[in-house]
């Protein structure tokens, strides 16, 4: 299930979460002396998923320890024998990333061309490409979808319950991204253990089917878990299920869950029925193929909690953020690919965001740094977006997950109002490269 | 990055890859004495992703060790304090699955309602739900997409190179599923180490940009990796890139790769150019947003190898197989949910597949087993699909990945010819429940 332990006592090595060509390129660069050239690599997205108006940076908190655990031990090197020459294997045996990383903090918004992460080192830092992209592409995709759901759910809590619809380790990371993006809880126990995310759960149809009848199942659940529990009422007939639930648990029942059918109609009729039974405080949890559009469609209904599964862990139609890791500077000079379809703009870059006095963001300005570059003329409400993440190979202290969650909440409020619309549209903010075209010929 | 080590020396525990409600249901069932009832759980898909004609079973080889590693050690139990009562925690401290599992072998085809996996034990086996579904839903989704790509690529090799577009651990599993489904190699080194899958790689634009010019980059690559290497020729101008490649490497160059542009047009012109330079044996590797449809569109072109990334690791539009884990039998009697939208049919089931004398499959017959059930009347070309996987908690020896790959290749050949069409259509085989309606009211 997991990678081999690293040679030193410590977390498992992440060094083989790597595409082979990164190591063979390194071999060729070691042989011709170019591997030592100072290089800058940049992570960015050329575009957002179709119609999306913003992306959410997530995964930084997983990435930094993973970069520190990127060490080649005996197990990893053994695999590379026969693929790489001795010189490269010896180099990797001693390799750890000792350069700098800066980027957008976790919970920040990004747009096409935003320099989300910048890695400064030698060409050897090419070996981090796959690990960096795997973590950011996955976690940003989930957080970007989850933020839309949290935005339309407004103050109604969302439970992330999609673990079963994605790879078992991806599920843990997805729970983390969803929480970062505003979900209240997750069903995933490992996410609770590893990241301290609050966990929650209701009950499954199997529990009702196990029992001789629905009343017996409800009675057993209430007896063991208390009257505050959530009873799943749609195994047989929902109206009878609700009646049985309140008869067994009394009007103090915590919640009912409905997992099938026309959820809006059912929520209204369940609310009326619960109220008529005196269970005015019993909450209604809805689940069953909810996505941001279904959640929005239920805004007028008496729903108290949404349970979201498949759509959040699969990025709601956009399971990867499509970020790339590109070499943008060698020996202090900008480099860029020049073929027609994938234009990139070289140079080490940072970003500031500009705001109106009201706090509404107006523009993201990307600017080059280093010799011969010009800084943007400061305006009163500028904010530096790029922050240091790793210095000399050592990860700097980062915000907690809860702080990143707050950061995102504030950033969402700063978006121009049309940026929060669910409908297809352009990115909510313009990203411009100072003294140049759009960064990376971003598609907007 | 990975779960806590298990208390015994052995693989890391998988016990917290679990939704909380499974354990709270278990608590309630322990309290009322129903936890010991003999139960059968079944994994199946109500439908295939829109328009797909078959699904591919994958992940069994990852699942069986994961079930054996499903043990609650100190670390896991500590997390559950405050969530579960003492009795349940004590129960889990001693828990390991000691029942039986049977199902479709890895590399088998499945259809809506196919009983892909059956877990027999007590109600406590409900705790395996999330782990089982995470592995099967992910791996089947990737294999099902990859099989379509391998099918249209025919005998041209496919390289799986999508690790950077999915979670770092999901990437390793995706490489495994793609290989199972017919891909020739993967770029993912950990997949090579863990599962023995052949690895491959070419070069990235960064390697060219690192050098003073393209010729220097190509010369360095050939010097280090040999003339059989693959040179990436589209960093600047493709025609110039090919000319430079052959000038530097000579006509014995192994391959060129083109990663952008109109791949069909470029492949034709690259082939002409290579041939005119005497490089008639130099192969053409195409990559860049290829999916099964793009691969099919390139069938008439002089392409030698396809590199596939995003589309395969994200299931080409269907990132999860949508399988469910349902209680179908309690104490020897069938149970089923009865609400209008999600019909299930109870009972412990197995499947046979029927064939014409020519070897073409005609039907999949699902039948109940156990007291009072009727076996299907045998026909000459029947094949039992269901095989034992775990007996008394012990995983039985399984086919190797290479054998499962061969199994799938043979199964694909047995499909009715329209089953291999890429266009949207019905499932290639009818799945019928003997003596009943379609299993699980499968949508067909």
């Amino acid at each position: 299930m997991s990678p081999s332990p690293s040679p030193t006592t410590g977390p498992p090595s992440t060094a083989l979460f790597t595409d082979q060509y990164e190591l063979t390129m390194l071999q060729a660069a070691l042989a011709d002396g170019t591997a030592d050239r100072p290089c800058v690599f940049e992570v960015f997205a050329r575009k957002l998923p179709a119609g999306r108006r913003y992306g959410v940076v997530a995964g930084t908190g997983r990435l930094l320890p993973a970069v520190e655990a990127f060490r080649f031990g005996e197990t990893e090197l053994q695999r590379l024998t026969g693929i790489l020459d001795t010189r490269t294997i010896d180099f990797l045996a001693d390799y750890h990333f000792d350069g700098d990383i800066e980027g957008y903090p976790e919970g920040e918004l990004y747009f096409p061309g935003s320099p989300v992460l910048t890695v400064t080192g030698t060409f050897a830092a090419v070996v981090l490409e796959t690990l960096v992209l795997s973590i950011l592409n996955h976690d940003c995709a989930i957080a970007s979808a989850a933020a839309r759901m949290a935005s339309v759910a407004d103050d109604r809590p969302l439970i992330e319950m999609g673990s079963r619809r994605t790879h078992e380790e991806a599920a843990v990371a997805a729970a983390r991204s969803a929480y970062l993006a505003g979900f209240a809880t997750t069903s995933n126990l490992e996410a609770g253990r590893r990241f301290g995310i609050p966990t929650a759960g209701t009950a499954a149809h199997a529990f009702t089917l196990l029992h001789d009848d629905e009343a017996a199942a409800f009675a057993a659940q209430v007896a063991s878990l208390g009257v505050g529990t959530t009873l799943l009422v749609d195994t047989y007939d929902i109206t009878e299920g609700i009646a049985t639930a309140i008869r067994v648990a009394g009007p103090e029942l915590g919640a009912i869950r409905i997992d099938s059918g026309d959820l809006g109609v059912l929520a209204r009729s369940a609310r009326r029925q619960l109220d008529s039974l005196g269970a005015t405080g019993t909450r209604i949890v809805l689940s069953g193929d909810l996505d941001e559009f279904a959640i929005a469609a239920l805004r007028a209904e008496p729903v108290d909690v949404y349970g979201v599964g498949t759509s959040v862990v699969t990025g709601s139609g956009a399971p990867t953020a499509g970020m790339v890791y590109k070499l943008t500077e060698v020996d202090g000079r900008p480099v860029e690919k020049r073929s027609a379809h994938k234009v990139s703009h070289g140079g080490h870059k940072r970003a500031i965001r500009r705001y109106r006095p009201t706090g509404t963001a107006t523009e993201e300005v990307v600017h080059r740094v280093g010799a011969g570059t010009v800084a943007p003329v400061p305006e009163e409400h500028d904010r530096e977006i790029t922050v240091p993440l790793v210095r000399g190979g050592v990860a700097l202290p980062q915000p907690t997950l809860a702080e990143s969650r707050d950061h995102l909440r504030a950033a969402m409020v700063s978006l121009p109002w049309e940026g929060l619309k669910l409908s297809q549209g352009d990115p909510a903010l313009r990203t411009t490269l100072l003294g140049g075209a759009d960064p990376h010929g971003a598609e907007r």
Side-chain angles (χ1 to χ4, degrees), chain A residues 16 18 27 126 131 169 192 200 228 244 269 275 295-296 318 329 332 355:
Chain A
L16 291 188
T18 297
Q27 171 177 313
V126 75
L131 180 67
E169 273 287 345
T244 306
S269 96
D275 289 349
I295 293 167
E329 194 174 289
Y355 296 85

Side-chain angles (χ1 to χ4, degrees), chain A residues 134-363:
Chain A
S134 288
I135 292 177
L136 293 181
N137 274 328
H138 177 267
D139 289 14
C140 293
I142 309 307
S144 299
R148 284 158 57 90
M149 298 173 190
S151 171
V152 295
D154 212 353
D155 57 352
R156 297 176 187 174
L158 295 160
I159 310 177
E160 184 282 306
M161 46 204 285
S163 296
R164 63 193 56 197
R165 301 280 182 250
T166 187
H167 181 282
E168 65 278 16
E169 273 287 345
V172 182
R176 183 182 184 279
S177 288
Y179 182 69
L180 169 74
F183 275 53
T185 52
T186 177
S187 62
N188 187 293
L189 288 167
E190 177 63 14
R193 187 190 73 79
R194 208 181 294 178
F195 302 120
I197 301 169
T199 55
T202 60
H205 299 116
F207 188 75
T208 299
L209 295 173
L210 170 68
H211 286 83
D212 299 333
D213 56 40
E214 202 171 38
F218 290 172
Q221 188 177 331
V222 170
S224 179
L225 301 169
V227 76
T229 194
T230 301
L231 296 176
L232 178 61
V233 296
D234 68 347
T235 304
Y236 306 116
D237 176 88
I238 294 178
T239 306
E240 280 178 39
I242 292 172
T244 306
I246 301 303
R247 192 174 69 243
V248 167
E252 302 302 311
L253 176 64
I256 60 161
R257 176 160 79 104
I258 303 173
D259 187 49
S260 48
D262 180 326
L263 296 174
V265 170
L266 293 173
R268 280 197 300 279
S269 96
R271 183 73 272 157
R272 278 195 301 269
Q273 187 182 359
L274 287 169
D275 289 349
S276 76
L277 295 168
T280 53
T282 300
R283 302 197 302 163
I284 297 175
V285 182
L286 291 192
S287 58
D289 293 330
L290 293 178
D291 62 12
E292 62 269 46
F293 302 101
I295 293 167
L298 289 165
R299 281 186 80 151
E301 310 302 341
V303 185
D304 298 288
V305 179
Y306 300 101
V308 185
T310 307
S311 66
V312 64
V313 300
T314 59
S316 200
T320 182
M323 291 185 185
V324 293
Y325 183 95
K326 291 296 173 190
L327 180 63
T328 59
E329 194 174 289
V330 177
D331 272 340
R333 68 189 161 84
V335 295
E336 54 198 60
K337 186 171 181 303
R338 285 201 311 262
S339 63
H341 295 266
K342 291 183 180 173
V343 181
S344 296
H345 292 285
H348 180 172
K349 308 185 201 75
R350 291 188 185 133
I352 62 168
R353 201 167 289 162
R354 299 206 142 138
Y355 296 85
R356 289 210 183 86
T358 56
T360 300
T362 56
E363 188 182 11

Side-chain angles (χ1 to χ4, degrees), chain A residues 15-28 70 72 79-85 88 92 123 126-127 129-131:
Chain A
L16 291 188
F17 291 136
T18 297
D19 287 321
Q20 179 165 312
Y21 79 165
E22 287 147 29
L23 302 188
T24 51
M25 285 190 285
L26 175 63
Q27 171 177 313
F70 193 94
F72 292 84
R79 167 67 201 168
L80 301 173
T81 311
I83 298 175
L84 302 175
D85 63 19
T88 309
L92 292 176
F123 181 70
V126 75
V127 300
E129 178 180 32
T130 307
L131 180 67

Side-chain angles (χ1 to χ4, degrees), chain A residues 368-412:
Chain A
R368 295 200 176 89
V369 294
T373 62
V374 179
V377 178
E379 293 183 10
E380 191 179 352
H381 302 285
D382 287 354
R383 186 164 64 85
E384 301 267 359
I385 304 294
T386 308
V387 298
L389 300 170
V390 172
R391 278 284 172 264
V394 178
L396 302 175
Q398 294 303 313
T400 64
L401 194 55
E403 288 166 347
S404 299
R405 202 165 182 258
D406 292 341
H407 184 99
L408 175 61
R409 196 182 292 126
M412 299 275 286

Side-chain angles (χ1 to χ4, degrees), chain A residues 81-123:
Chain A
T81 311
I83 298 175
L84 302 175
D85 63 19
T86 311
R87 176 182 184 164
T88 309
I89 288 179
D90 290 349
F91 177 90
L92 292 176
D94 292 332
Y95 179 78
H96 69 278
F97 176 70
D98 58 4
D100 298 339
I101 302 181
E102 59 182 23
Y104 285 35
E106 202 159 19
E108 189 51 84
L109 300 174
Y110 72 88
F111 304 93
S114 293
V116 168
L117 200 84
T118 301
V119 177
T120 305
T122 64
F123 181 70

Side-chain angles (χ1 to χ4, degrees), chain A residues 19-67:
Chain A
D19 287 321
Q20 179 165 312
Y21 79 165
E22 287 147 29
L23 302 188
T24 51
M25 285 190 285
L26 175 63
Q27 171 177 313
L30 285 169
D32 84 340
T34 52
D36 287 337
R37 290 188 174 177
C39 285
V40 177
F41 295 88
E42 182 185 315
V43 176
F44 62 92
R46 285 198 176 84
K47 56 181 178 180
L48 298 176
R52 294 280 183 89
R53 294 162 189 258
Y54 58 86
V56 173
V57 175
T60 323
R62 296 205 308 118
L63 175 62
L64 302 191
V67 168

